Amino acid sequence: MIIQSPPRMDIDGAAVLDEATARIAHAHKLGSSRRNFLRASLTLGGLSMLTGCVLDDSEGISSALTRISRVNDDVQGWLFDPTRLAPTYPESMITRPFPFNAYYGENEVRQVEESGYRLEVTGLVADKRKWSLPELRAMPQIDQVTRHICVEGWSAIGKWGGVSFASFLRQVGADTSAKYVGFKCADDYFTSIDMPTALHPQTLLALTYDGQVLPPRYGFPMKLRMPTKLGYKNPKHIQAIFVTNTYPGGYWEDQGYNWFGGS
């Protein structure tokens, strides 16, 4: 049997983007199965699948991929239901030990001193100030047992406790019509999320893990826990939060990862 290689083709980035945009314009009229197919196909890989061609390396591919990734973000944003809850689990299903994951090794985990810690809140908020851990712990606390899904293909169930992020944003007078909420972290990580996800009832400023103060390996003094997002969107060791209408990017997102990052 002779296996023939598929033909190679160059990419007209503008034409690809125009086609993707046209599909998105009709996405809200489609059923769920068609929307899922649309979402999967709006990438260069999807384009290759649909055309039967192999995409040739060219200067236009990187640009087209970046632009289509942003189109994907728009699709995921439109499909996101801010009232739909991620599954929760009994404590008997907690993964023990819960895996460590970061862009560095566990022996490089950042150590943050509790006494000097202050969470800085800036941007489109009425109350621009710094919050101590005792102040954050004095706010109403909630728990959730949810699944962490990593972009690398593994998942684990953990129990997280802390402050509802939606409640915190309202407490500081955040402009909830703004597009983005950004995070800067003690381990030099940074990321950002969309406002509907920030206001989702399961989005949590996590201060504890499994009923104990959040350990350094899981993000002490605070991490953002979002069961509706992939793991790289859940920053640890948070030092600053800002609300903005200017696209903030992120550590992995600026290297080509999808920005919306829905799970």
Side-chain angles (χ1 to χ4, degrees), residues 165-224:
F165 194 35
S167 297
F168 181 78
L169 289 173
R170 295 185 180 101
Q171 175 77 25
V172 300
D175 179 358
T176 55
S177 68
K179 293 182 179 180
Y180 310 108
V181 182
F183 304 87
K184 299 177 182 178
C185 307
D187 58 358
D188 299 322
Y189 195 77
F190 64 101
T191 190
S192 54
I193 61 174
D194 56 297
M195 184 61 76
T197 298
L199 299 176
H200 188 275
Q202 289 175 306
T203 299
L204 190 68
L205 289 178
L207 302 171
T208 66
Y209 179 76
D210 203 9
Q212 304 296 319
V213 173
L214 193 67
R217 69 192 302 264
Y218 298 150
F220 180 85
M222 176 198 298
K223 75 165 288 171
L224 188 69

Coordinates of all heavy atoms in Angstrom, one line a residue, residues 165-224:
F165 N -15.2 35.2 44.6 CA -14.5 36.3 43.9 C -15.6 37.4 43.5 O -15.3 38.6 43.5 CB -13.8 35.8 42.7 CG -12.8 36.8 42.1 CD1 -12.1 37.7 42.9 CD2 -12.6 36.8 40.8 CE1 -11.2 38.6 42.4 CE2 -11.7 37.8 40.2 CZ -11.0 38.7 41.0
A166 N -16.7 36.9 43.1 CA -17.8 37.9 42.8 C -18.1 38.8 44.0 O -18.3 40.0 43.8 CB -19.0 37.1 42.3
S167 N -18.2 38.2 45.2 CA -18.5 39.0 46.4 C -17.4 40.0 46.6 O -17.6 41.2 47.0 CB -18.7 38.1 47.6 OG -19.8 37.3 47.4
F168 N -16.1 39.5 46.4 CA -15.0 40.4 46.7 C -15.0 41.6 45.7 O -14.7 42.7 46.0 CB -13.7 39.6 46.5 CG -12.4 40.5 46.8 CD1 -12.1 40.8 48.1 CD2 -11.7 40.9 45.7 CE1 -10.9 41.6 48.3 CE2 -10.6 41.7 45.9 CZ -10.2 42.1 47.2
L169 N -15.2 41.3 44.4 CA -15.3 42.4 43.4 C -16.3 43.4 43.7 O -16.1 44.6 43.5 CB -15.5 41.8 42.0 CG -14.3 41.0 41.4 CD1 -14.7 40.3 40.1 CD2 -13.1 41.9 41.2
R170 N -17.5 42.9 44.2 CA -18.5 43.9 44.5 C -18.1 44.7 45.8 O -18.4 45.9 45.9 CB -19.8 43.2 44.8 CG -20.4 42.5 43.5 CD -21.7 41.9 43.6 NE -22.2 41.3 42.4 CZ -22.2 40.0 42.1 NH1 -21.7 39.1 43.0 NH2 -22.6 39.5 40.9
Q171 N -17.4 44.0 46.7 CA -16.9 44.7 47.9 C -16.0 45.9 47.6 O -16.1 46.9 48.2 CB -16.2 43.7 48.8 CG -15.6 44.3 50.1 CD -16.6 44.6 51.2 OE1 -17.6 43.9 51.2 NE2 -16.2 45.5 52.0
V172 N -15.2 45.7 46.6 CA -14.2 46.7 46.3 C -14.8 47.7 45.2 O -14.1 48.6 44.8 CB -12.9 46.1 45.8 CG1 -12.2 45.3 46.8 CG2 -13.0 45.4 44.5
G173 N -16.0 47.5 44.8 CA -16.6 48.4 43.9 C -16.1 48.3 42.5 O -15.9 49.3 41.8
A174 N -15.8 47.1 42.1 CA -15.3 46.9 40.7 C -16.3 47.2 39.7 O -17.5 47.0 39.9 CB -14.8 45.4 40.6
D175 N -15.9 47.7 38.5 CA -16.7 47.9 37.4 C -17.0 46.6 36.7 O -16.1 46.1 36.0 CB -16.0 48.9 36.4 CG -16.9 49.2 35.2 OD1 -18.0 48.6 35.0 OD2 -16.4 50.0 34.3
T176 N -18.1 46.0 37.0 CA -18.4 44.6 36.5 C -18.8 44.6 35.0 O -19.0 43.6 34.4 CB -19.5 43.9 37.3 OG1 -20.6 44.8 37.3 CG2 -19.0 43.7 38.7
S177 N -18.8 45.8 34.4 CA -19.0 45.9 32.9 C -17.6 45.9 32.2 O -17.6 45.8 31.0 CB -19.8 47.1 32.6 OG -19.0 48.3 32.8
A178 N -16.5 45.9 33.0 CA -15.2 45.9 32.4 C -15.0 44.5 31.7 O -15.6 43.5 32.1 CB -14.1 46.2 33.4
K179 N -14.0 44.5 30.8 CA -13.8 43.2 30.1 C -12.9 42.2 30.8 O -13.1 41.0 30.7 CB -13.1 43.6 28.7 CG -14.0 44.3 27.8 CD -13.2 44.6 26.5 CE -14.1 45.3 25.5 NZ -13.3 45.6 24.2
Y180 N -11.9 42.7 31.6 CA -10.9 41.8 32.1 C -10.6 42.0 33.5 O -10.7 43.1 34.1 CB -9.6 42.0 31.3 CG -9.7 41.9 29.8 CD1 -9.6 43.1 29.0 CD2 -9.9 40.7 29.1 CE1 -9.6 43.1 27.7 CE2 -10.0 40.7 27.7 CZ -9.9 41.9 27.0 OH -10.0 41.9 25.6
V181 N -10.1 40.9 34.2 CA -9.5 41.0 35.5 C -8.1 40.3 35.4 O -8.0 39.2 34.9 CB -10.4 40.3 36.6 CG1 -9.7 40.5 37.9 CG2 -11.8 40.9 36.6
G182 N -7.1 41.1 35.8 CA -5.7 40.6 35.7 C -5.2 40.2 37.1 O -5.6 40.8 38.1
F183 N -4.1 39.4 37.1 CA -3.5 38.9 38.3 C -2.0 38.9 38.1 O -1.4 38.5 37.1 CB -3.9 37.5 38.6 CG -5.4 37.4 38.8 CD1 -6.2 37.1 37.6 CD2 -6.1 37.5 40.0 CE1 -7.6 37.0 37.7 CE2 -7.5 37.4 40.0 CZ -8.2 37.1 38.9
K184 N -1.3 39.4 39.2 CA 0.2 39.4 39.2 C 0.5 38.6 40.5 O -0.1 38.8 41.5 CB 0.8 40.8 39.3 CG 0.4 41.7 38.1 CD 1.0 43.1 38.2 CE 0.6 43.9 37.0 NZ 1.1 45.3 37.1
C185 N 1.6 37.8 40.4 CA 1.9 36.8 41.4 C 3.3 36.9 41.9 O 4.2 37.4 41.2 CB 1.6 35.4 40.9 SG -0.1 35.2 40.2
A186 N 3.5 36.4 43.1 CA 4.8 36.4 43.7 C 5.9 35.6 43.0 O 7.1 35.8 43.2 CB 4.7 36.0 45.2
D187 N 5.4 34.6 42.2 CA 6.3 33.7 41.5 C 6.6 34.2 40.1 O 7.0 33.5 39.2 CB 5.8 32.3 41.5 CG 4.4 32.1 40.8 OD1 3.8 33.2 40.5 OD2 3.9 31.0 40.7
D188 N 6.2 35.5 39.8 CA 6.4 36.2 38.5 C 5.4 35.7 37.5 O 5.5 36.0 36.3 CB 7.8 36.0 38.0 CG 8.9 36.7 38.9 OD1 8.6 37.7 39.5 OD2 9.9 36.1 39.1
Y189 N 4.5 34.9 37.9 CA 3.4 34.4 37.0 C 2.4 35.6 36.8 O 2.2 36.4 37.7 CB 2.7 33.2 37.5 CG 1.9 32.4 36.5 CD1 2.5 31.6 35.6 CD2 0.5 32.5 36.5 CE1 1.7 30.9 34.6 CE2 -0.3 31.8 35.6 CZ 0.3 31.0 34.7 OH -0.4 30.3 33.8
F190 N 1.7 35.6 35.7 CA 0.6 36.5 35.5 C -0.4 36.0 34.5 O 0.0 35.2 33.7 CB 1.1 37.9 35.1 CG 1.8 37.9 33.7 CD1 1.1 38.3 32.6 CD2 3.1 37.4 33.6 CE1 1.7 38.3 31.3 CE2 3.7 37.4 32.3 CZ 3.0 37.9 31.2
T191 N -1.6 36.3 34.7 CA -2.7 35.9 33.8 C -3.8 36.8 33.9 O -3.8 37.8 34.7 CB -3.1 34.4 34.1 OG1 -3.9 34.0 33.0 CG2 -3.8 34.3 35.4
S192 N -4.9 36.6 33.1 CA -6.1 37.4 33.2 C -7.3 36.6 32.7 O -7.1 35.6 32.0 CB -5.9 38.6 32.3 OG -5.6 38.2 30.9
I193 N -8.5 37.0 33.2 CA -9.7 36.3 32.8 C -10.8 37.3 32.4 O -10.6 38.5 32.6 CB -10.2 35.4 34.0 CG1 -10.5 36.4 35.2 CG2 -9.2 34.4 34.4 CD1 -11.2 35.6 36.4
D194 N -11.8 36.7 31.8 CA -12.9 37.6 31.4 C -13.8 37.8 32.6 O -13.9 37.1 33.6 CB -13.8 36.8 30.3 CG -14.2 35.5 30.8 OD1 -13.3 34.6 31.1 OD2 -15.4 35.2 31.0
M195 N -14.5 39.0 32.6 CA -15.4 39.3 33.7 C -16.5 38.3 34.0 O -16.8 38.0 35.2 CB -16.0 40.7 33.5 CG -16.8 41.3 34.7 SD -15.8 41.4 36.2 CE -14.9 42.9 35.9
P196 N -17.2 37.8 33.0 CA -18.2 36.8 33.3 C -17.7 35.6 34.1 O -18.3 35.1 35.0 CB -18.7 36.3 32.0 CG -18.5 37.5 31.1 CD -17.2 38.1 31.5
T197 N -16.4 35.1 33.8 CA -15.8 34.1 34.6 C -15.5 34.5 36.0 O -15.7 33.8 37.0 CB -14.6 33.5 33.9 OG1 -15.0 33.0 32.7 CG2 -13.9 32.4 34.8
A198 N -15.0 35.8 36.1 CA -14.7 36.4 37.4 C -16.0 36.4 38.3 O -15.9 36.2 39.5 CB -14.2 37.8 37.3
L199 N -17.1 36.6 37.8 CA -18.4 36.7 38.5 C -19.1 35.3 38.7 O -20.1 35.3 39.3 CB -19.3 37.7 37.8 CG -18.8 39.1 37.8 CD1 -19.8 40.0 37.0 CD2 -18.5 39.7 39.1
H200 N -18.5 34.3 38.1 CA -19.1 32.9 38.2 C -19.2 32.5 39.7 O -18.3 32.8 40.4 CB -18.3 31.9 37.4 CG -19.0 30.6 37.3 ND1 -18.8 29.6 38.2 CD2 -19.7 30.1 36.3 CE1 -19.5 28.5 37.8 NE2 -20.0 28.8 36.7
P201 N -20.3 31.9 40.1 CA -20.5 31.6 41.5 C -19.4 30.6 42.1 O -19.3 30.5 43.3 CB -21.9 31.0 41.6 CG -22.2 30.6 40.2 CD -21.5 31.6 39.3
Q202 N -18.7 29.9 41.2 CA -17.7 29.0 41.7 C -16.3 29.5 41.6 O -15.3 28.8 42.0 CB -17.8 27.6 41.0 CG -19.0 26.8 41.3 CD -19.1 25.6 40.4 OE1 -19.1 25.6 39.2 NE2 -19.2 24.4 41.1
T203 N -16.1 30.7 41.1 CA -14.8 31.3 41.1 C -14.4 31.8 42.5 O -15.2 32.6 43.1 CB -14.7 32.5 40.1 OG1 -15.0 32.0 38.8 CG2 -13.4 33.1 40.0
L204 N -13.3 31.4 43.0 CA -13.0 31.5 44.4 C -11.6 32.1 44.6 O -10.6 31.7 43.9 CB -13.0 30.1 45.0 CG -13.0 30.0 46.5 CD1 -14.2 30.5 47.2 CD2 -12.8 28.5 46.9
L205 N -11.4 33.1 45.5 CA -10.1 33.5 46.0 C -9.8 32.5 47.1 O -10.2 32.6 48.3 CB -10.2 34.9 46.6 CG -10.3 36.0 45.6 CD1 -10.3 37.4 46.3 CD2 -9.1 36.0 44.6
A206 N -9.0 31.4 46.8 CA -8.8 30.3 47.7 C -7.7 30.7 48.7 O -6.6 31.0 48.4 CB -8.4 29.1 46.9
L207 N -8.1 30.5 50.0 CA -7.2 30.7 51.1 C -6.8 29.5 51.8 O -5.9 29.4 52.7 CB -7.8 31.7 52.1 CG -8.2 33.1 51.5 CD1 -9.0 33.9 52.5 CD2 -6.9 33.9 51.1
T208 N -7.6 28.4 51.6 CA -7.3 27.1 52.3 C -7.4 26.0 51.2 O -8.0 26.1 50.2 CB -8.4 26.8 53.3 OG1 -9.7 26.6 52.7 CG2 -8.5 28.0 54.3
Y209 N -6.7 24.9 51.6 CA -6.8 23.6 50.9 C -7.1 22.5 51.8 O -6.4 22.3 52.8 CB -5.6 23.3 50.1 CG -5.7 22.0 49.3 CD1 -6.5 22.0 48.2 CD2 -5.2 20.8 49.8 CE1 -6.7 20.8 47.5 CE2 -5.4 19.6 49.1 CZ -6.2 19.6 48.0 OH -6.5 18.4 47.4
D210 N -8.2 21.8 51.6 CA -8.6 20.6 52.4 C -8.7 21.0 53.8 O -8.3 20.3 54.7 CB -7.6 19.5 52.2 CG -8.2 18.1 52.6 OD1 -9.5 18.1 52.8 OD2 -7.5 17.1 52.7
G211 N -9.3 22.2 54.1 CA -9.6 22.6 55.5 C -8.4 23.3 56.2 O -8.6 23.7 57.4
Q212 N -7.2 23.3 55.6 CA -6.1 23.9 56.2 C -5.6 25.2 55.4 O -5.9 25.3 54.3 CB -4.9 22.9 56.2 CG -5.3 21.6 56.9 CD -5.6 21.8 58.4 OE1 -4.9 22.5 59.1 NE2 -6.6 21.1 58.9
V213 N -4.8 26.0 56.1 CA -4.2 27.2 55.4 C -3.5 26.7 54.1 O -2.8 25.7 54.1 CB -3.2 27.9 56.3 CG1 -2.5 29.0 55.6 CG2 -4.0 28.5 57.5
L214 N -3.8 27.4 53.1 CA -3.2 27.0 51.8 C -1.7 26.8 51.9 O -1.0 27.7 52.2 CB -3.6 28.1 50.8 CG -3.4 27.8 49.3 CD1 -4.4 26.8 48.8 CD2 -3.5 29.1 48.5
P215 N -1.2 25.6 51.6 CA 0.2 25.4 51.6 C 1.0 26.1 50.5 O 0.4 26.4 49.5 CB 0.3 23.9 51.4 CG -1.0 23.3 51.6 CD -2.0 24.4 51.2
P216 N 2.2 26.5 50.7 CA 3.0 27.1 49.7 C 3.0 26.4 48.3 O 2.9 27.1 47.3 CB 4.4 27.2 50.2 CG 4.2 27.2 51.7 CD 3.0 26.3 52.0
R217 N 3.0 25.1 48.3 CA 3.1 24.3 47.1 C 1.8 24.5 46.3 O 1.7 24.3 45.1 CB 3.4 22.9 47.3 CG 2.3 22.1 48.0 CD 2.7 20.7 48.5 NE 3.3 19.9 47.4 CZ 2.6 19.0 46.8 NH1 1.3 18.8 47.1 NH2 3.1 18.3 45.8
Y218 N 0.7 24.9 47.0 CA -0.6 25.1 46.3 C -0.9 26.6 46.1 O -2.0 26.9 45.6 CB -1.7 24.4 47.0 CG -1.6 22.9 47.1 CD1 -2.1 22.2 48.1 CD2 -0.9 22.2 46.0 CE1 -1.9 20.8 48.2 CE2 -0.8 20.8 46.1 CZ -1.3 20.1 47.2 OH -1.2 18.7 47.3
G219 N 0.0 27.5 46.5 CA -0.2 28.9 46.2 C -0.3 29.9 47.3 O -0.8 31.0 47.1
F220 N 0.1 29.5 48.5 CA 0.0 30.4 49.7 C 0.6 31.8 49.2 O 1.6 31.9 48.6 CB 0.8 29.9 50.9 CG 0.7 30.9 52.1 CD1 -0.3 30.8 53.0 CD2 1.7 31.8 52.3 CE1 -0.4 31.7 54.0 CE2 1.6 32.7 53.4 CZ 0.6 32.6 54.2
P221 N -0.1 32.9 49.6 CA -1.2 33.0 50.6 C -2.6 32.9 49.9 O -3.6 32.7 50.6 CB -1.0 34.4 51.2 CG -0.4 35.2 50.1 CD 0.5 34.2 49.4
M222 N -2.6 32.9 48.6 CA -3.9 32.9 47.9 C -3.7 32.5 46.4 O -2.7 32.8 45.8 CB -4.5 34.3 47.9 CG -5.8 34.4 47.1 SD -6.2 36.2 46.7 CE -6.3 36.8 48.3
K223 N -4.7 31.7 46.0 CA -4.7 31.4 44.5 C -6.1 31.6 44.1 O -7.1 31.6 44.9 CB -4.3 29.9 44.3 CG -5.3 28.9 44.7 CD -4.9 27.5 44.0 CE -5.2 27.5 42.5 NZ -4.7 26.4 41.8
L224 N -6.3 31.7 42.8 CA -7.6 31.8 42.2 C -8.0 30.4 41.7 O -7.3 29.8 41.0 CB -7.6 32.8 41.0 CG -9.0 33.1 40.4 CD1 -9.8 34.0 41.3 CD2 -8.8 33.8 39.0

